[in-house]
Structure formats: C-alpha cells, structure tokens
C-alpha cells in the first residue's frame, strides 16, 4: 500500500510542476533561416464605458534573436489618440523582486492603423517589436511582473500586471504576471 501512495504522490507532483508545451502561431525553419512566434497572450484589459483597451504579448525568435511583440488594441466610439512607437520607445517591467527590466524598441516608427468599424466604433491597432537587453533577460525567468510602463514617442502609460485576469472580451482566465516565467523558454 505504501508504494502505491508514494507512486500516486510522485505522479501528482510531476504533473503539477511539468511545463506545458510551447504553442506557436508561426514556426518556420527553411534555407533563409528560422522564425517562430508564440500565440498572443492578454496582458492587460481596460474597459470603461464604450472604450476598451487591450495589451497582448507574444514572443518571437528570428535566427536565434528573441524579441517581444507588443500589440495594443483600442476600441471606442470617441476619438482614439495615436500612441506612436519610435527608436526611443521602451517597455519597462518592474518585477516582484524589485528589479526593473528594460526592453528597447527596434528603430521603426509606427503609429498603428485606425480601422473604422460598425456602429461608429473605431479600432486602433498598434504593434511594436522590442529587443531584450542581455543583462536583464535572465531576471524575467525568475520573478513575476508587477508593473509595466510603455514609453511612446510623446507619452508614457503604466499598467498594473495582475496575477489573474479574467477577460471580459472572451471569458478566458490569464496569468499575465508569470508570462515570461512560463514562456520565455519557447524562444531560447
């Protein structure tokens, strides 16, 4: 009886600590090089009145270089301000261990795309690609995220990163504070 209990405990412990497999939306390996990108993951959701703001992360690897793809989606029936990314844009992540990790935007200006939708609801989609700084890369594997600051061309915006986020958009539950701890291995 004791071996059966020990085996059961071992199997439960093993499945509790097992890493889930990496899921990619793109995974290409050809004569030109390799490119893979993880599925988008909801990091922040703000809904107030008729205005909705979403921040999605995905990790990409291009020929061995890992990057963070950040996508902002804004929906509103009022004016949507354009927040542009440029060569000076950055993402700052404050970790629960007190350290701050900086990611640098690639040298490409982007103010997003405004899409006119039905019922006078406009959508602005903006995507930025950010590079990791080698010194801080390891920190993301070991500590959850607490705060995120995005520095745009002319503005700065702060986000509190939750341990659990139940999306009003799709009803799914996300764990954004441990995003890098769970997914950065997928682009190493």
């Amino acid at each position: 009886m004791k071996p059966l209990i020990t085996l059961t405990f071992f199997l439960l412990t093993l499945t509790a600590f097992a890493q889930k497999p990496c899921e990619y939306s793109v995974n290409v390996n050809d004569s030109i090089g390799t490119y893979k990108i993880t599925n988008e993951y909801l990091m922040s959701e703000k809904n107030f009145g008729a205005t909705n703001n979403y921040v999605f992360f995905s990790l990409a690897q291009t020929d061995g270089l890992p990057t963070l793809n950040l996508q902002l989606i804004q929906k509103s029936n009022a004016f949507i301000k354009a927040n542009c990314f440029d060569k000076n844009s950055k993402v700052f992540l404050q970790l629960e261990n007190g350290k701050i990790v900086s990611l640098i935007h690639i040298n490409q200006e982007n103010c997003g795309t405004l899409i006119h939708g039905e019922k006078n609801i406009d959508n602005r989609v903006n995507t930025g690609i950010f590079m990791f700084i080698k010194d801080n890369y390891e920190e993301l594997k070991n500590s959850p995220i607490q705060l995120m600051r995005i520095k745009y061309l002319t503005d700065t915006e702060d986000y509190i990163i939750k341990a659990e986020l139940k999306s009003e958009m799709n009803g799914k539950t996300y764990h954004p504070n441990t995003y890098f701890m769970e997914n950065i291995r997928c682009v190493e």
Side-chain angles (χ1 to χ4, degrees):
M1 182 70 175
K2 238 181 187 178
L4 183 60
I5 292 172
T6 304
L7 179 64
T8 304
F9 178 74
F10 175 73
L11 290 175
L12 288 174
T13 305
L14 184 64
T15 56
F17 291 105
Q19 292 180 341
K20 62 181 181 176
C22 295
E23 296 179 13
Y24 299 102
S25 59
V26 176
N27 191 357
V28 177
N29 188 4
D30 60 18
S31 61
I32 298 173
T34 61
Y35 180 73
K36 56 176 106 173
I37 186 165
T38 61
N39 293 334
E40 291 181 338
Y41 195 86
L42 183 64
M43 295 298 290
S44 177
E45 177 179 76
K46 294 180 187 177
N47 299 308
F48 185 77
T51 302
N52 304 323
N53 293 300
Y54 306 98
V55 178
F56 290 93
F57 277 6
S58 60
L59 292 168
Q61 183 197 69
T62 308
D63 295 329
L65 177 68
T67 56
L68 172 69
N69 292 351
L70 184 147
Q71 184 178 58
L72 302 165
I73 300 175
Q74 299 168 286
K75 297 180 178 189
S76 181
N77 58 6
F79 174 75
I80 300 175
K81 179 178 124 181
N83 285 323
C84 301
F85 292 120
D86 74 337
K87 65 180 180 179
N88 297 317
S89 295
K90 294 182 180 177
V91 172
F92 300 99
L93 302 169
Q94 182 174 344
L95 306 180
E96 287 184 6
N97 66 8
K99 297 191 178 180
I100 295 176
V101 174
S102 302
L103 290 87
I104 301 168
H105 190 260
I106 62 170
N107 193 5
Q108 179 181 353
E109 192 169 308
N110 183 2
C111 294
T113 304
L114 184 64
I115 303 165
H116 298 289
E118 296 177 10
K119 302 178 185 174
N120 293 326
I121 295 177
D122 290 334
N123 300 287
R124 180 172 296 281
V125 179
N126 194 0
T127 302
I129 301 172
F130 293 84
M131 296 180 292
F132 295 95
I133 298 173
K134 188 173 185 175
D135 297 341
N136 293 332
Y137 185 78
E138 292 297 319
E139 293 295 331
L140 292 170
K141 296 178 187 178
N142 302 318
S143 182
I145 306 167
Q146 191 173 32
L147 296 167
M148 174 175 59
R149 173 173 283 172
I150 302 174
K151 181 187 175 300
Y152 301 103
L153 175 64
T154 59
D155 198 9
T156 300
E157 194 164 352
D158 292 333
Y159 298 87
I160 296 172
I161 303 300
K162 298 178 181 180
E164 183 172 288
L165 170 64
K166 180 149 176 127
S167 174
E168 293 178 29
M169 173 183 59
N170 60 16
K172 292 182 181 179
T173 301
Y174 297 88
H175 301 279
N177 72 330
T178 57
Y179 175 76
F180 288 104
M181 294 172 67
E182 295 172 5
N183 293 290
I184 206 159
R185 65 185 169 76
C186 298
V187 292
E188 290 188 303

